[in-house]
Amino acid sequence: MKAKFLATAGIVAATAVALTGCSGGSGSGGGGGSEAASCTNTIVNAEAPQVTVWAWYPAFNEVVDQFNNANDDVQICWTNAGQGNDEYTKFSTSIESGSGAPDVIQLESEVLSSFTIRDALVDLTEFGADDVKADYAEGAWEDASSGDAVYAIPVDGGPMGMLYRQDLFDAAGIAVPTTWEEFEAAARQLKESGSGAIIGDFPTNGRAFNQALFAQAGSVPFEYDSANPQEIGIKVNDEGAKKVLEYWDGLVKDGLVATDDAFTADYNTKLVDGSYAVYLAAAWGPGYLQGLSDADPTAVWRAAPLPQWDAANPVQVNWGGSTFAVTEQAKDKELAAKVAMGIFGNEEGMNLGVDKGALFPSYAPVLESEAFANKEYEFFGGQQINKDVFLDAAAGYEGATFSPFQNYAYDQLTEQLYAMVQGEKDAGQALDDLQASLEQYATEQGFTLK
Amino acid sequence: MATTTAPTSSHPAEASRQAKHRPDRNYRRRQRWGWLFVAPFALIFLTFLILPLVYAFRMSLFTSTLATGNKFVGADNYLKAFTDPIFLQGLGTVAKFALIMIPAQMLVALVAALVLDNLATWASKFSRLMIFIPYAIPVVIGALMWGFLYSPRFGPASSIFGLFGLAAPEFLAQDSIFGSLVNIVTWQWAGYYMIIIYAALRGIDPGIYEAAVLDGASDRQIALRIKVPMISSSLVMVVIFALIGTLQFFTEPQVLRGVAQGAIPVSYTPNMYAFTLAFSYSQFNYASAISFALGIVVFVFSFIFLFLTRKQSGLK
């Protein structure tokens, strides 16, 4: 009897191991794969070779149809494998298992290094990427390349600006802040005016948002070049980052900003119901805001440039933005590169992206066109937000370097910022601890620190 | 699992003993049929359980960092795991959950089962169903739902506390997340355990109660002195289920992380740590080692518990 029961317990325990073992182990990878692919879209020309693509762009089906209709020699077979981390998890698993990845994949520029270090992406220079370089915004191109290598073709960007509630500002008699000093004064004025609103949110899980704010004050967290992949420079606790974090810590302590987690249901509600007067946003923010259900129809939204530290020397930063990369698993890399460069690399495709998907293009012919600059946005009362705000922001952006373990760095940043807003440590301590944890991680992962 | 395997497993043993004495052809033919019946299960068991286990174990013996290649390191990953403060901290967290959550679940399940066992009205059937229903809701859905109930904007807490002029507690803050998770899990599982205990209670011969009543026992005495001891083996089984589940705690904190990232770090429980290592940080080897290390801990704890309760569970 005893042995039997123990055997049963053993099986239960082994099952436990197996369940966890599975998650750590094999994994079958997502769909994809050139042969047995099932496409979301209809293939126009069944004779032509197909290239599988994972992407989550809004209204992407129309862009794919446009491409397939215009090309006889190659067809796109598109799958939406989830947005951001959902897709990266699948991609990561297929890299590990050596199969299951698509030929072309949408990746945010910040995670490119995380995949190039695993030899998962193809250097596109041998397929003519250098020839199209001039077609793209400089900062976006910089984000997609490392040294001489080009690992992806930029599609859309996220130059930052400030979306604000004109009605709430007017009610409290506040002028639109142009510097962070004025922003703080506006925050105080709004609070003292008895308005129910608070100026905005400082999300501890802001990840790329927080990183962009640091970058605006000159923080350069990582030095990394995929030509020399074993060496990395880490400086997340530099003066710029400390200055920015002390500023926000001050606002938090004085109760001038909220510290809600971004992209939760609560946060989304507060964005549109007048709880926040300002939404510090990227160029894709207006689309995001508009898409939230229950958006208050009486709200008067306007866009303005991001507040500056030094009004005389404005610094533009970027939050998000994605690219198309060709994976090492691609069957026909040349054909895949053609798709990566061609799908949004023409005015028809990019215009569809802009009009239907609210993308902020990196493709210069559209980005620099009159039509894009003069585009009027109904949501902003007909304001030409591209001309007024985002085009300048995009032109001033010089690119950034991300670490090959960006996900880890973001998770650690979130933990430190949370500890700070909980009052457990001050801004300087939080950044120093972040620096220490990243240095330790990099060393453990076999990097040499510069 | 224990209840189904125990009674049937004695028959094949007997059969094989007999087979040794007279290995006739009829028996062999029957045996072949037996294999045929077992084959579908065996195939799936092998492909989806044993092979991945072996593969994952093999992976756990290697190491592959971002900057260097794959190399064999033997037990190094395990040594690292059991000295890894993050893993140990996660184990501490689930141990704390086990200490609080299991008694809570047991108490709710046992009291509910005892009460329902005594009721003989339509209300008992209805209540049984109501208590069981949370278990029928998928864990992820349950956790998402609680995420909304805990939300300061959408949840009912602020209006309920508002009635008494009080401020609602922040269920998703660092200090209260522990209790919030205990609540979700208890709500989700107590009904399931209640059904197991209830079934065991129904299996007791009512004649025993009659005898007890004749001897002057009160309802409470019958419940605590007769019913509970008689179903102790079921109780032990329920605790084992709860223990294994708790040590592998994953879904609820992973889902709630979506609304409370600061309060629930990625390495909150060992399973979450393994998941993050593998899928966010691409450390598949170390993640396998962490998974097996957790498996070892689960086995050891289950073993110790079964050893300590061998009398109650009827093992001895």
Side-chain angles (χ1 to χ4, degrees):
Chain A
M1 196 67 183
K2 185 177 180 175
K4 245 172 265 162
F5 260 88
L6 283 179
T8 314
I11 290 166
V12 173
T15 315
V17 179
L19 288 174
T20 52
C22 276
S23 64
S26 57
S28 58
S34 292
E35 281 142 35
S38 59
C39 321
T40 310
N41 57 302
T42 19
I43 301 296
V44 181
N45 185 350
E47 305 288 299
Q50 295 180 9
V51 168
T52 53
V53 176
W54 284 0
W56 69 78
Y57 293 106
F60 191 57
N61 49 344
E62 297 177 42
V63 182
V64 170
D65 288 345
Q66 190 269 333
F67 183 92
N68 281 352
N69 282 320
N71 288 274
D72 309 335
D73 54 340
V74 57
Q75 295 284 294
I76 289 177
C77 171
W78 166 52
T79 311
N80 186 344
Q83 178 159 0
N85 270 337
D86 291 343
E87 188 204 65
Y88 306 152
T89 302
K90 293 190 185 101
F91 185 37
S92 183
T93 314
S94 36
I95 295 170
E96 187 66 22
S97 63
S99 70
D103 301 329
V104 173
I105 185 168
Q106 174 182 2
L107 295 171
E108 287 162 289
S109 22
E110 63 191 46
V111 297
L112 286 172
S113 310
S114 307
F115 290 113
T116 55
I117 195 167
R118 297 172 69 192
D119 296 326
L121 305 180
V122 175
D123 179 358
L124 296 172
T125 43
E126 59 176 302
F127 301 109
D130 281 336
D131 304 338
V132 295
K133 182 175 177 179
D135 288 345
Y136 292 90
E138 260 176 62
W141 193 265
E142 182 64 30
D143 282 353
S145 46
S146 184
D148 289 333
V150 177
Y151 287 106
I153 302 297
V155 174
D156 73 320
M160 282 184 73
M162 180 174 75
L163 311 182
Y164 64 96
R165 287 282 297 270
Q166 182 74 56
D167 48 337
L168 296 178
F169 271 19
D170 286 348
I174 298 169
V176 178
T178 58
T179 64
W180 290 112
E181 211 182 320
E182 287 174 22
F183 184 81
E184 186 176 348
R188 275 184 213 290
Q189 201 177 331
L190 186 67
K191 195 184 178 195
E192 282 156 16
S193 77
S195 157
I198 199 163
I199 199 148
D201 186 38
F202 180 69
T204 57
N205 69 339
R207 297 167 81 99
F209 166 76
N210 303 94
Q211 204 70 69
L213 291 181
F214 296 162
Q216 200 194 14
S219 169
V220 182
F222 301 107
E223 262 181 73
Y224 184 72
D225 182 351
S226 66
N228 189 5
Q230 261 122 0
E231 214 178 65
I232 186 166
I234 302 174
K235 193 73 187 149
V236 290
N237 58 346
D238 56 11
E239 286 311 309
K242 279 197 174 154
K243 175 169 125 186
V244 174
L245 205 51
E246 273 160 16
Y247 172 81
W248 284 97
D249 195 24
L251 294 186
V252 170
K253 292 246 159 61
D254 292 349
L256 297 174
V257 292
T259 55
D260 300 306
D261 270 1
F263 308 118
T264 61
D266 278 73
Y267 168 85
N268 286 342
T269 313
K270 284 179 161 185
L271 268 186
V272 293
D273 75 354
S275 297
Y276 306 145
V278 163
Y279 171 32
L280 297 172
W284 45 262
Y288 181 72
L289 204 55
Q290 242 173 308
L292 295 175
S293 56
D294 302 330
D296 182 356
T298 62
V300 181
W301 284 98
R302 292 291 179 270
L306 192 68
Q308 295 292 333
W309 289 104
D310 178 3
N313 297 304
V315 180
Q316 303 300 345
V317 286
N318 193 73
W319 172 16
S322 56
T323 65
F324 272 134
V326 174
T327 72
E328 275 295 344
Q329 289 179 29
K331 294 262 170 351
D332 184 340
K333 297 194 173 61
E334 195 172 351
L335 209 56
K338 186 185 167 182
V339 169
M341 289 187 275
I343 182 160
F344 279 112
N346 61 76
E347 292 190 34
E348 291 79 20
M350 196 69 248
N351 278 330
L352 275 174
V354 171
D355 294 336
K356 309 273 178 175
L359 299 182
F360 188 87
S362 300
Y363 182 62
V366 173
L367 180 66
E368 289 160 8
S369 70
E370 283 292 306
F372 185 68
N374 295 329
K375 197 170 157 60
E376 291 177 0
Y377 287 79
E378 205 185 318
F379 187 77
F380 293 91
Q383 190 185 359
Q384 295 167 318
I385 60 171
N386 296 327
K387 186 191 266 177
D388 287 0
V389 181
F390 293 114
L391 281 170
D392 281 347
Y397 175 59
E398 287 164 357
T401 303
F402 298 97
S403 77
F405 41 84
Q406 197 58 39
N407 242 335
Y408 182 82
Y410 279 151
D411 283 343
Q412 293 297 312
L413 177 67
T414 297
E415 280 191 31
Q416 295 301 337
L417 293 187
Y418 187 75
M420 183 192 82
V421 301
Q422 289 288 307
E424 285 166 22
K425 39 182 102 164
D426 62 19
Q429 189 64 45
L431 286 173
D432 289 345
D433 289 353
L434 178 65
Q435 174 75 16
S437 75
L438 293 187
E439 278 182 4
Q440 192 198 341
Y441 186 81
T443 318
E444 271 175 21
Q445 288 299 312
F447 292 98
T448 11
L449 296 172
K450 269 188 208 168
Chain B
M1 192 174 272
T3 48
T4 53
T5 51
T8 50
S9 55
S10 60
H11 299 302
E14 253 166 52
S16 74
R17 250 197 312 282
Q18 284 170 359
K20 261 175 211 146
H21 294 298
R22 15 184 209 96
D24 62 71
R25 276 176 49 214
N26 267 343
Y27 173 72
R28 285 242 180 85
R29 201 178 301 147
R30 279 209 307 278
Q31 204 177 28
R32 246 175 272 148
W33 279 106
W35 280 113
L36 198 72
F37 279 117
V38 173
F41 168 76
L43 204 70
I44 291 170
F45 185 73
L46 210 69
T47 337
F48 293 106
L49 205 77
I50 302 299
L51 283 181
L53 258 179
V54 171
Y55 182 77
F57 182 70
R58 196 178 154 270
M59 271 182 92
S60 73
L61 301 178
F62 287 81
T63 191
S64 149
T65 58
L66 286 176
T68 57
N70 204 12
K71 68 169 192 267
F72 182 79
V73 290
D76 273 12
N77 279 333
Y78 290 92
L79 292 177
K80 188 177 159 199
F82 283 108
T83 49
D84 183 344
I86 301 173
F87 177 61
L88 297 179
Q89 207 180 340
L91 279 181
T93 311
V94 288
K96 217 166 88 185
F97 271 112
L99 281 179
I100 312 251
M101 210 148 69
I102 297 176
Q105 283 168 286
M106 290 295 291
L107 198 70
V108 174
L110 183 62
V111 169
L114 286 172
V115 170
L116 291 181
D117 188 43
N118 257 19
L119 290 177
T121 59
W122 64 271
S124 89
K125 267 187 193 163
F126 179 74
S127 318
R128 209 165 63 212
L129 184 68
M130 285 298 115
I131 300 174
F132 184 72
I133 270 184
Y135 174 71
I137 293 171
V139 181
V140 174
I141 308 287
L144 282 172
M145 192 189 79
W146 277 104
F148 273 98
L149 289 176
Y150 287 150
S151 151
R153 289 187 87 76
F154 304 107
S158 54
S159 33
I160 292 173
F161 279 81
L163 287 179
F164 305 98
L166 297 168
E170 288 178 45
F171 295 110
L172 298 172
Q174 201 169 24
D175 302 329
S176 43
I177 197 79
F178 184 84
S180 300
L181 283 167
V182 168
N183 176 47
I184 298 180
V185 176
T186 307
W187 170 86
Q188 184 107 39
W189 289 90
Y192 174 66
Y193 297 146
M194 184 270 294
I195 292 289
I196 296 177
I197 298 171
Y198 180 78
L201 283 173
R202 288 275 116 177
I204 299 175
D205 179 3
I208 297 174
Y209 305 148
E210 279 170 37
V213 171
L214 283 178
D215 283 344
S218 68
D219 273 359
R220 206 169 60 102
Q221 281 170 322
I222 292 177
L224 294 180
R225 302 253 175 101
I226 297 175
K227 290 182 177 177
V228 172
M230 287 194 82
I231 55 161
S232 61
S233 65
S234 297
L235 291 177
V236 168
M237 189 179 76
V238 166
V239 173
I240 276 290
F241 283 170
L243 187 68
I244 292 169
T246 308
L247 290 176
Q248 297 205 61
F249 205 22
F250 175 76
T251 314
E252 291 87 350
Q254 183 75 15
V255 172
L256 274 200
R257 223 184 97 70
V259 288
Q261 289 201 0
I264 306 177
V266 285
S267 51
Y268 193 60
T269 72
N271 246 351
M272 285 173 73
Y273 185 39
F275 178 84
T276 310
L277 279 173
F279 297 114
S280 288
Y281 307 157
S282 318
Q283 296 184 38
F284 290 90
N285 303 84
Y286 189 43
S288 305
I290 289 281
S291 302
F292 272 93
L294 176 64
I296 294 167
V297 172
V298 170
F299 181 80
V300 167
F301 269 83
S302 313
F303 190 92
I304 291 173
F305 181 79
L306 281 175
F307 182 77
L308 292 178
T309 56
R310 61 196 183 283
K311 208 167 140 195
Q312 286 81 5
S313 60
L315 286 177
K316 198 176 170 185

